[in-house]
Amino acid sequence: MNARPGNGTHKRSAVISRRSALLLALSSSGALAQDFRGLAENAPGFALPQPGTPLVFPKDHGAHPEFRTEWWYVTANLSGADGAPYGAQWTLFRFALQSNSPHAGWDDRNVWMAHAAATNAGEHFFAQKFARGGIGQAGVEAAPFRAHIDDWVLETRDDSAGAGIERLRVSAGDGNFAYVLDLTATGPIVLQGEGGYSRKSDAGQASYYYSQPFFTAEGDVTIHGRKTRVSGRAWMDREWSSQPLGPDQKGWDWFALHFDGGAKLMLYRMRSVKRVPFLFGNWIDDNGATSPLISEDIAIEPLETIRIADRDMPIGWRVRVGSRGVDIKTQPLNPRSWMGTDPAYWEGPIRFSGSHKGEGYIEMTGY
Amino acid sequence: MRQTLWTLAALISHWRRRPGNLATLVLGLAIATALWSGVQALNAQARMSYDAATAAISGGGAGTLVAARGGLFDQDLFVKLRRAGLDVSPVLEGAARIGDKNIRIIGVEPVSLPRGSPIAHKRRRADVLEDFFSGEGRAFAAPQTLRRLGLAEGARPQTERGRQMPPLAALAEAPPGAIVVDIGVAQRLLDRPGKLSRLVIADDAAPDDERVKRVAGEALRLVAADDESELARLTDSFHLNLTAFGFLAFLVGLFIVHAAYGLAFEQRLPTLRTLRALGVAPPNLVVAMACEIAVLTFMAGGAGVIGGYAIAQALLPDVAKSLESLYGAQISESLSLDLRWFLSGLVMAGAGAVLAAASGFTRTLRLPPLSVARPIAWRAQHHRYLRRQGGLAVLALVAAACAYGLGDGLVSGFAVIGCSLLGAALFLPIGLAGALALGERLASRPLARWFFADGRQEISGLSLALMALLVALAANIGVGGMVEGFRQTFTRWLDARLVAEIYFEAATPADARDIEAWMRTQPDILAILPVWRTKTRIGEWPADIVGMTQHETYAAHFPLMVAAADVWTALYAEDAVLVSEQLARRLGVGVGATLDIPASNQEWRARVVGIFPDYGNPKGQLRIDHEKLKRYFDDASGVHYGLRVASDATSRVIDNMQRRFGERITRIIDQSELKGLSTEIFERTFAVTTALNMLTLIVSGVALFASLLTLSDMRQARIAPVWALGATRRELAGLEMIRVLGFAAGAALLATPLGLFMSWCLVAIVNVAAFGWRLPFHMFPAQWLVVFLIALCAAFLAALIPVARLARAAPTDLLRVFSNER
Amino acid sequence: MLRVEGLCKSYSTPQGRIAVLRGVGFTLAAGASLALTGESGSGKSTLLHLVGALDDADSGEVVLDGVALTLLSEHARAAVRREKIGVVFQQFNLIPSLTVAENLGFQARLAGRYDPAWQDELTHRLGLAALVTRYPEELSGGQQQRVAIGRALAVRPKLLLADEPTGNLDEASGDNVMSLALELVAATGCAFLMATHSERLAARLQRRVRLESGLLAAQ
């Protein structure tokens, strides 16, 4: 669904280099930029994506421990029975701290991390979890598909042994908020890049990447103990790779847009210390056909900023895609959709209008 | 203000002239404070270590979950609880050995470890994670633990099971005597795959008993964060013992202070009167005296606290070893104390000084300004004094009787001992006075009559020192008797309990099976006695369950205090159990009672058919049929065995087994070595109390010396008239020495029955309340003789210098008595 | 300077109450000296103690320098003793742990009137210059008595009381001490009240009264 900017294998957390362990990155957002820079190092022992490798489902829904990082990521744009709009996010990350580890019991060198969030116009809630791999506290099974960490679950609703991600249930929460959503795919799985091999930069870093942007969502969102019935659209991303960002890249802005006509658009803008931002995107027709977009075709500009958590965050964007005649302005549901997790970033539901109308999700990191 | 200052100057000038008096006062207060604060330091250090050990992992969080039955539980309970949304972090702890040193292995899970945990918060989680996960991992230990083990950072020692540890690294926050590793590593080192000892609940998670029960059923039990650690409870009595001795020593030291201050007061009385005559108002006088006391307290108390530190530092290794051997507690072997301890020592010193000086203060307040020297009506005063002593003595003895009748706990036991000691001590001067009065009546020669009469005058000055001597001697007899009786009983009991010639522990149950199979083929091995064991909790008390096979060894040798008639058949045929003495006492059960014992999957009801002594074990113990142990308790460790072997074949068998099985045998030991070890543990336990006892005796000797020294000037005034009338100085000095020796002998005589009573109290009340087992009461006449001689020696040494001074007093000094009215 | 009126004092003994003073009265002007004579046990010391604010009378009045002592609190009386009265007793009441010099200046320091020059002069006139670093127990009786006088006068009292000041001395020393005392009293101009059983000494003062059966009789 979304090409991660540059090597941005993770929107949410920095990846580790051999030197600094995962949590070093996570412990202070000030180190975020440093962490992303740390992603530039090569990771010996881990597998690298190869062009031409076919993705096989449902097997590839599961984890790929020979790769260093991986995630399962779901965002949903919802509207409640009360008419109010909501947003929900569910992310599960896997980091391998060592290649070729036994993957069993406490010796498994995978660490799992998850972020969950729920947003409405007035409030934004988030929560974070960590878990060790190998002992059953967190993990992903490919078929029947089940991804979980503690009591946060993303799993198939089908009983059959080979069930993939066509019909999912996703749930998460903590003391302040919770949600349970049933996702039903109304379109095919979309392979990003070239058959799932998605280039991240000119230097050749890449990842395996596919998305399912065609979910309809139905369920409940509970905020401060009050449950509201909701329904809407959802988008799932799957990506895994071993290589971090380019050395001078410090963060990215990422867009996942549902157009009212049924089409989908994924864009990113990779911000660099030295050079102009690197732009990349994917236009997905309502029947699932994809058209990768080149940087000259895309224009993304921040419009206004507000101050959040000692940073100046852009709040409105102008997005243009020349070849598709797209010229829209985005508006966040809640400008304060700040994820105060380790690391910290902005992620929340947006609406857009202009040449087209629709809704989606924006993520902004590295500010 | 000005008045007070000059008054203070006048008071202090007294010490300039009598530095010996000052030294005595300061020394007494310093010693008293030193002994008290030394013991407090030991106790505080131990408690700090227990708390640190407990808190190291949980970090004062919301609580922990432990196995309801005690022992270990499966780690899938952890996964289940997390998948139900509970924020828990797993911990595995166990004991291991590196070389011959015991250590505790603590396995933690860094990702889920609560933020508040000391191990986590000083080092960032990320660093801990990296340490544990990269390369060969890490094993963290406090720098002093590394020193004790004699290992450097980076070393990779092996445990006794032959497992290699990750490289060692120093971490100041690690608890003493423990090595912290990743939980997976701990499971491997302790040979407990898939097991955990507890789950720590994160700080901000409210522990929800209901939720835990829904997920884990009855398998887990919630322990709230502020529950006193089990270790602190077990060791309570040990520390109370220490405190009691510290307090005793403090009191004896206070005797010195009172004596010295009282004498100084007497000597300054004329000065005080003059000051009043010159126009110093009473309140100013008292304020000046109070200032003097304050300065003294600060000096002496400060020195005392430093001395206490030294004493604690000297005794700490023994205390640490005792605690480790008895309770498995690890306490740090280097003292680290905070300001509070220092201040409390000073406060104690201040309180003691004020107490000792109180009578002087009240007299000063009521002092009339007239400076007329009237002849001291000493006889009237003496009678008043004796009456007061008698009254107090009776009061103390009544208090002792009350304490005996009312309570039967540890505190009341000490109360009985304390009040009896006090009562007897208060009575001593009366007794001596009576003896002297009798002597005076019976004596015919004038010098002899003077000897007795003058002695009565001397008593009030020496009484405190003699009382201190009495208390110290009685304590010596009491404690010494208890320890010796203990030693004899213990040796006999050990002989009965350790009947097997060889004891060994296999590495795993599978190894044990193989070794068993081999042993059956050996003609030298006469009997194989598995001594498998497991843990449980009955009521509130942790207890071990040990299995006994049906073998005539037990029926022949196993010591039982009380038993049913058919004990050795019932134990194997029915659901029956033997209970250790302290467990029986704590649960309040006797032979014939039934116990519900939590077993692996059920509660097992058994009849108590016997009670056996189990000296020195802080936990309870149950002995049951070996078959029943296997049946009802899944997690019985099947690795301990005793072997009956022909006595001349013992070393041969041991060599054979070691050669054949190598690392599959963790430990193997023969009976005599085991007895030696056990006895050594016992000796060390009492080393500390013996040391304190000896110190108290020395302190009372010093008290006697101090009193005699400061009295010596007043003695001159009394001696002078007799000398003038024709006795030689050497005669008089000799009589003086005889008198002091006589007083000491009197004290020793009274100390003997007092000490016996104390010994009985210790054995019958204190030990029973503190530890749960009761020793038979022994008397050791030889010891009394020794104590008698010690008393005489102490008195002789104490009196030597003062008497020598008297013998060599210059005639001019003696004559001056007549020209200056005192 | 000093006015005494109707002073009565009695003691309880096992034999009943004994009245020692039964209404004693006299006056003493500044710079004047008065000898109080009588048999041993006649109550001279008692009278002196009452005048010196050391004890309480049963009834009567003692007015010193305009202040009625009998009305004062304990505290105030101590102040009077400090600042206005110098006392020399038969037992010399020196502070045994202070040197001669320290003893000499003690009361003056207590009263805040320490005057090194005056103390020096006293020291020399009393012939104590060589003894200033000694302790009382190293001095002879006469020397100790001189120190006592020096201490009493160092504070420049309004009234100097002496209770058998030469009682423990031999005749020669006693005379010596008396001369010195009288000289210094004249030099300081304080009132001087001395109790003595020696008629010879009493004759050296300006006035004499005799205490008999609790009452004064002039002589």
Side-chain angles (χ1 to χ4, degrees):
Chain A
M1 277 122 270
N2 351 309
R4 287 293 167 271
N7 286 353
T9 33
H10 329 280
K11 327 165 355 175
R12 284 144 196 81
S13 53
V15 144
I16 2 93
S17 69
R18 252 343 221 174
R19 188 114 308 156
S20 60
L22 150 72
L23 296 170
L24 173 66
L26 309 179
S27 56
S28 67
S29 38
L32 194 64
Q34 192 183 341
D35 305 325
F36 283 130
R37 265 201 289 280
L39 303 182
E41 294 170 32
N42 221 338
F46 287 105
L48 292 175
Q50 302 299 326
T53 312
L55 296 185
V56 176
F57 303 112
K59 180 164 87 67
D60 281 319
H61 292 315
H64 302 82
E66 63 275 21
F67 291 86
R68 192 141 66 118
T69 62
E70 185 159 15
W71 65 84
W72 294 254
Y73 164 62
V74 177
T75 55
N77 291 88
L78 309 161
S79 66
D82 53 355
Y86 292 88
Q89 174 199 345
W90 192 102
T91 319
L92 178 61
F93 252 118
R94 178 187 65 80
F95 302 99
L97 297 180
Q98 251 181 40
S99 61
N100 306 323
S101 71
H103 308 307
W106 299 104
D107 285 334
D108 184 309
R109 292 284 185 256
N110 286 299
V111 173
W112 298 79
M113 183 180 79
H115 290 173
T119 316
N120 63 20
E123 292 167 295
H124 173 80
F125 303 92
F126 59 87
Q128 181 175 29
K129 278 187 181 287
F130 291 94
R132 279 280 270 272
I135 48 152
Q137 191 190 347
V140 176
E141 288 129 49
F145 178 72
R146 185 162 203 271
H148 78 278
I149 177 169
D150 287 351
D151 56 344
W152 294 359
V153 181
L154 173 68
E155 63 182 346
T156 179
R157 282 179 285 140
D158 290 329
D159 287 332
S160 61
I165 60 171
E166 293 79 32
R167 289 150 50 79
L168 297 175
R169 170 161 296 161
V170 62
S171 64
D174 75 355
N176 296 320
F177 77 98
Y179 56 75
V180 179
L181 303 170
D182 285 345
L183 307 177
T184 311
T186 59
I189 287 177
V190 169
L191 300 179
Q192 302 280 2
E194 299 149 28
Y197 178 83
S198 164
R199 259 178 242 278
K200 294 291 160 220
S201 77
D202 300 325
Q205 280 112 341
S207 65
Y208 286 120
Y209 188 5
Y210 68 89
S211 308
Q212 175 46 279
F214 294 107
F215 279 121
T216 58
E218 244 188 63
D220 303 300
V221 171
T222 308
I223 290 184
H224 292 318
R226 247 199 3 254
K227 199 192 284 212
T228 313
R229 192 113 193 101
V230 294
S231 61
R233 297 182 266 204
W235 184 313
M236 177 169 167
D237 251 15
R238 278 281 291 122
E239 188 160 353
W240 60 101
S241 77
S242 296
Q243 275 170 324
L245 298 165
D248 56 338
Q249 290 169 331
K250 60 183 172 94
W252 60 77
D253 313 300
W254 165 84
F255 301 75
L257 306 174
H258 300 272
F259 281 69
D260 275 351
K264 315 285 179 192
L265 176 62
M266 187 280 296
L267 293 170
Y268 77 81
R269 184 175 91 124
M270 189 61 204
R271 302 189 312 280
S272 170
V273 176
K274 296 203 239 170
R275 300 185 280 189
V276 295
F278 184 54
L279 303 172
F280 184 87
N282 206 353
W283 175 267
I284 304 158
D285 287 331
D286 56 359
N287 56 10
T290 67
S291 320
L293 305 168
I294 54 175
S295 50
E296 291 76 21
D297 203 11
I298 309 168
I300 302 177
E301 313 146 32
L303 291 180
E304 36 164 335
T305 63
I306 66 168
R307 192 138 183 95
I308 300 178
D310 295 330
R311 296 154 228 254
D312 289 314
M313 302 296 301
I315 253 14
W317 293 85
R318 181 167 177 212
V319 174
R320 279 171 292 163
V321 179
S323 59
R324 299 286 165 175
V326 172
D327 185 348
I328 54 174
K329 293 208 175 86
T330 72
Q331 198 69 6
L333 172 60
N334 183 338
R336 305 208 153 263
S337 298
W338 181 254
M339 300 292 284
T341 49
D342 294 326
Y345 56 98
W346 193 103
E347 176 139 2
I350 54 121
R351 288 218 119 85
F352 60 87
S353 57
S355 63
H356 297 74
K357 289 230 289 261
E359 59 192 4
Y361 250 77
I362 288 185
E363 172 182 276
M364 299 184 269
T365 70
Y367 282 84
Chain B
M1 186 59 202
R2 186 187 50 232
Q3 276 183 66
T4 315
L5 275 179
W6 283 108
T7 312
L8 186 58
L11 287 176
I12 290 185
S13 67
H14 170 80
W15 303 118
R16 189 173 54 177
R17 296 290 287 161
R18 299 244 181 277
N21 202 344
L22 178 64
T24 311
L25 188 54
V26 169
L27 198 66
L29 195 54
I31 290 180
T33 312
L35 286 172
W36 167 257
S37 55
V39 165
Q40 288 304 93
L42 286 172
N43 283 345
Q45 182 67 25
R47 277 195 206 288
M48 254 173 31
S49 299
Y50 304 150
D51 290 340
T54 316
I57 313 303
S58 47
T64 47
L65 291 167
V66 297
R69 270 209 318 115
L72 305 175
F73 55 91
D74 279 332
Q75 82 186 25
D76 53 82
L77 279 177
F78 159 66
V79 178
K80 279 203 204 121
L81 284 170
R82 281 229 83 142
R83 285 168 78 142
L86 277 150
D87 200 353
V88 292
S89 178
V91 175
L92 175 64
E93 287 181 72
R97 283 208 317 280
I98 296 183
D100 61 345
K101 303 241 178 29
N102 292 321
I103 48 151
R104 195 154 70 102
I105 304 239
I106 304 180
V108 295
E109 205 290 279
V111 174
S112 55
L113 204 55
R115 278 286 153 89
S117 161
I119 287 189
H121 97 274
K122 283 284 170 58
R123 293 173 63 79
R124 289 186 302 178
R125 253 206 303 216
D127 299 333
V128 181
L129 197 62
E130 179 175 2
D131 290 325
F132 279 165
F133 277 11
S134 61
E136 306 153 317
R138 276 279 176 278
F140 291 109
Q144 71 191 38
T145 311
L146 290 177
R147 267 200 302 273
R148 182 166 77 89
L149 294 171
L151 296 167
E153 282 191 286
R156 300 197 60 178
Q158 279 200 356
T159 65
E160 81 277 19
R161 288 191 169 83
R163 310 258 191 274
Q164 198 177 33
M165 302 191 74
L168 290 171
L171 177 69
E173 291 80 17
I179 297 187
V180 181
V181 290
D182 182 54
I183 190 149
V185 172
Q187 287 181 338
R188 192 171 46 83
L189 291 176
L190 295 169
D191 200 21
R192 295 259 182 271
K195 297 283 190 197
L196 305 172
S197 3
R198 51 197 164 105
L199 295 171
V200 180
I201 304 178
D203 302 342
D204 44 10
D208 190 343
D209 228 2
E210 279 311 306
R211 272 216 295 191
V212 171
K213 278 210 167 45
R214 247 180 293 141
V215 175
E218 296 297 323
L220 296 176
R221 181 171 69 92
L222 181 65
V223 176
D226 50 7
D227 265 4
E228 201 187 337
S229 76
E230 188 163 292
L231 207 51
R233 220 163 5 143
L234 282 178
T235 54
D236 230 355
S237 39
F238 184 89
H239 291 293
L240 192 56
N241 263 317
L242 278 185
T243 305
F245 270 102
F247 195 62
L248 184 66
F250 184 74
L251 280 181
V252 172
L254 278 195
F255 282 157
I256 304 183
V257 177
H258 193 156
Y261 195 80
L263 284 164
F265 184 83
E266 288 297 333
Q267 287 177 328
R268 290 197 297 193
L269 211 48
T271 306
L272 290 175
R273 289 206 158 108
T274 305
L275 287 171
R276 290 280 277 120
L278 291 181
V280 177
N284 294 67
L285 204 50
V286 171
V287 168
M289 287 171 78
C291 285
E292 191 188 33
I293 285 271
V295 170
L296 231 51
T297 302
F298 198 73
M299 268 171 38
V305 168
I306 295 174
Y309 187 87
I311 291 179
Q313 188 72 57
L315 288 177
L316 189 55
D318 267 327
V319 169
K321 290 210 187 75
S322 304
L323 286 170
E324 185 191 333
S325 314
L326 287 177
Y327 303 103
Q330 298 280 355
I331 68 175
S332 121
E333 287 202 17
S334 64
L335 273 183
S336 57
L337 299 162
D338 57 22
L339 194 61
R340 258 179 315 170
W341 169 79
F342 188 83
L343 286 176
S344 75
L346 281 182
V347 166
M348 263 314 246
V354 165
L355 206 67
S359 59
F361 277 26
T362 42
R363 282 177 69 183
T364 308
L365 276 173
R366 285 186 270 144
L367 202 61
L370 292 177
S371 52
V372 177
R374 284 183 231 163
I376 303 171
W378 79 268
R379 286 187 75 93
Q381 207 181 53
H382 186 67
H383 285 303
R384 261 203 314 273
Y385 166 76
L386 284 183
R387 268 203 302 273
R388 194 186 61 201
Q389 286 279 106
L392 286 175
V394 167
L395 230 86
L397 289 175
V398 165
C402 285
Y404 181 69
L406 288 177
D408 70 337
L410 200 54
V411 175
S412 70
F414 278 124
V416 171
I417 293 182
C419 291
S420 326
L421 281 179
L422 195 61
L426 288 168
F427 176 72
L428 178 66
I430 300 176
L432 288 176
L436 288 171
L438 190 64
E440 190 181 344
R441 228 173 328 183
L442 295 177
S444 49
R445 291 177 47 229
L447 208 53
R449 297 201 65 177
W450 171 83
F451 172 79
F452 287 112
D454 199 46
R456 289 161 73 185
Q457 226 189 20
E458 197 179 7
I459 282 187
S460 54
L462 281 183
S463 68
L464 277 178
L466 289 173
M467 279 157 67
L469 187 65
L470 171 70
V471 166
L473 290 172
N476 224 310
I477 295 180
V479 171
M482 179 191 78
V483 172
E484 185 57 34
F486 211 164
R487 192 177 289 127
Q488 291 190 357
T489 310
F490 181 64
T491 315
R492 252 177 280 146
W493 170 80
L494 212 55
D495 282 335
R497 273 289 284 268
L498 294 184
V499 179
E501 282 75 20
I502 297 179
Y503 293 88
F504 78 93
E505 178 187 341
T508 65
D511 292 326
R513 278 332 140 265
D514 294 340
I515 298 174
E516 240 189 287
W518 173 83
M519 288 193 296
R520 280 190 243 280
T521 67
Q522 300 294 307
D524 277 334
I525 298 181
L526 305 172
I528 303 170
L529 303 172
V531 195
W532 297 3
R533 53 184 60 213
T534 180
K535 291 196 221 290
T536 187
R537 277 179 85 90
I538 303 193
E540 297 262 307
W541 298 99
D544 290 327
I545 305 184
V546 184
M548 292 164 56
T549 50
Q550 198 163 5
H551 193 268
E552 44 97 27
T553 301
Y554 293 115
H557 295 278
F558 194 80
L560 288 170
M561 291 168 64
V562 190
D566 57 345
V567 54
W568 292 114
T569 41
L571 188 64
Y572 300 107
E574 306 167 14
D575 285 336
V577 67
L578 299 177
V579 182
S580 76
E581 181 192 357
Q582 48 264 49
L583 186 60
R585 209 181 283 277
R586 283 179 192 145
L587 297 176
V589 298
V591 170
T594 41
L595 280 179
D596 286 318
I597 302 166
S600 289
N601 302 314
Q602 60 187 88
E603 283 217 327
W604 180 53
R605 174 159 290 193
R607 181 168 72 98
V608 177
V609 294
I611 299 185
F612 60 94
D614 194 16
Y615 300 120
N617 193 348
K619 300 205 281 191
Q621 195 178 96
L622 297 165
R623 294 215 162 217
I624 65 177
D625 175 25
H626 179 72
E627 296 305 317
K628 301 214 177 49
L629 182 72
K630 285 201 293 197
R631 195 187 325 156
Y632 292 111
F633 298 89
D634 305 334
D635 58 350
S637 82
V639 296
H640 294 94
Y641 287 83
L643 297 178
R644 297 305 310 269
V645 172
S647 50
D648 53 349
T650 309
S651 41
R652 197 166 9 117
V653 170
I654 292 183
D655 283 338
N656 265 350
M657 288 179 72
Q658 280 178 317
R659 235 174 315 126
R660 194 183 168 79
F661 294 103
E663 286 188 350
R664 302 175 71 185
I665 296 185
T666 322
R667 274 182 264 219
I668 183 164
I669 194 173
D670 70 55
Q671 187 195 83
S672 55
E673 202 183 329
L674 187 56
K675 280 191 188 161
L677 278 177
S678 306
T679 314
E680 193 194 322
I681 294 175
F682 254 46
E683 295 296 338
R684 235 186 259 126
T685 312
F686 291 106
V688 176
T689 42
T690 309
L692 284 177
N693 216 7
M694 196 46 53
L695 281 173
T696 313
L697 195 59
I698 293 175
V699 164
S700 65
V702 171
L704 196 56
F705 172 72
S707 303
L708 286 172
L709 201 61
T710 36
L711 268 181
S712 62
D713 291 330
M714 305 221 300
R715 298 300 304 140
Q716 272 196 357
R718 310 234 202 277
I719 301 280
V722 187
W723 168 77
L725 293 175
T728 67
R729 282 167 294 161
R730 297 186 62 167
E731 262 181 332
L732 293 172
L735 283 177
E736 190 75 15
M737 177 61 90
I738 293 178
R739 226 202 327 258
V740 173
L741 289 179
F743 286 155
L749 230 56
L750 184 54
T752 305
L754 188 62
L756 282 178
F757 177 67
M758 189 172 162
S759 183
W760 179 84
C761 281
L762 284 172
V763 160
I765 307 179
V766 171
N767 247 342
V768 168
F771 300 114
W773 22 272
R774 184 181 175 136
L775 291 171
F777 177 61
H778 293 275
M779 294 201 281
F780 301 96
Q783 192 192 34
W784 308 343
L785 195 59
V786 169
V787 165
F788 194 76
L789 289 174
I790 290 178
L792 290 181
C793 275
F796 181 76
L797 288 171
L800 203 55
I801 294 182
V803 163
R805 278 210 344 205
L806 217 54
R808 289 194 259 138
T812 30
D813 295 327
L814 291 171
L815 287 170
R816 210 199 320 235
V817 171
F818 298 112
S819 51
N820 292 345
E821 293 228 38
R822 296 224 175 207
Chain C
M1 176 83 285
L2 175 66
R3 181 164 57 86
V4 176
E5 261 181 40
L7 221 50
C8 298
K9 179 79 179 170
S10 54
Y11 288 112
S12 335
T13 61
Q15 287 81 32
R17 250 188 126 66
I18 299 184
V20 179
L21 300 173
R22 287 193 244 194
V24 169
F26 62 91
T27 59
L28 185 62
S33 57
L34 175 64
L36 185 61
T37 59
E39 303 290 331
S40 297
S42 59
K44 303 193 293 295
S45 298
T46 310
L47 179 55
L48 239 56
H49 293 159
L50 291 176
V51 169
L54 291 164
D55 201 354
D56 274 317
D58 293 342
S59 67
E61 214 179 41
V62 176
V63 181
L64 173 66
D65 200 19
V67 178
L69 296 184
T70 39
L71 296 177
L72 293 181
S73 67
E74 180 64 52
H75 202 86
R77 256 189 271 184
V80 167
R81 283 206 299 280
R82 262 201 316 276
E83 291 158 22
K84 302 205 180 156
I85 304 178
V87 176
V88 180
F89 286 113
Q90 185 173 15
Q91 295 86 39
F92 317 115
N93 299 126
L94 298 180
I95 297 180
S97 50
L98 296 177
T99 61
V100 163
E102 288 162 355
N103 265 295
L104 280 173
F106 197 74
Q107 186 174 358
R109 284 191 202 268
L110 267 186
R113 298 222 202 126
Y114 178 60
D115 181 355
W118 176 227
Q119 179 167 324
D120 253 355
E121 192 183 329
L122 279 176
T123 309
H124 279 99
R125 287 175 75 162
L126 287 166
L128 298 171
L131 301 173
V132 283
T133 54
R134 301 269 188 90
Y135 285 93
E137 65 201 32
E138 299 165 33
L139 304 180
S140 73
Q143 289 164 333
Q144 288 190 39
Q145 195 62 304
R146 282 185 269 153
V147 175
I149 293 173
R151 177 184 72 194
L153 289 175
V155 76
R156 292 189 193 269
K158 297 273 198 268
L159 172 66
L160 178 65
L161 297 176
D163 188 358
E164 307 271 8
T166 58
N168 283 352
L169 305 177
D170 62 83
E171 215 172 284
S173 322
D175 284 341
N176 196 5
V177 164
M178 268 319 302
S179 312
L180 283 172
L182 289 170
E183 240 180 73
L184 290 168
V185 161
T188 54
C190 61
F192 184 25
L193 177 61
M194 179 176 80
T196 179
H197 59 261
S198 158
E199 298 290 335
R200 199 170 58 80
L201 285 176
R204 295 179 70 173
L205 271 61
Q206 287 171 358
R207 285 163 53 205
R208 302 158 62 149
V209 282
R210 192 176 169 79
L211 188 58
E212 254 177 66
S213 334
L215 293 166
L216 282 183
Q219 277 189 312

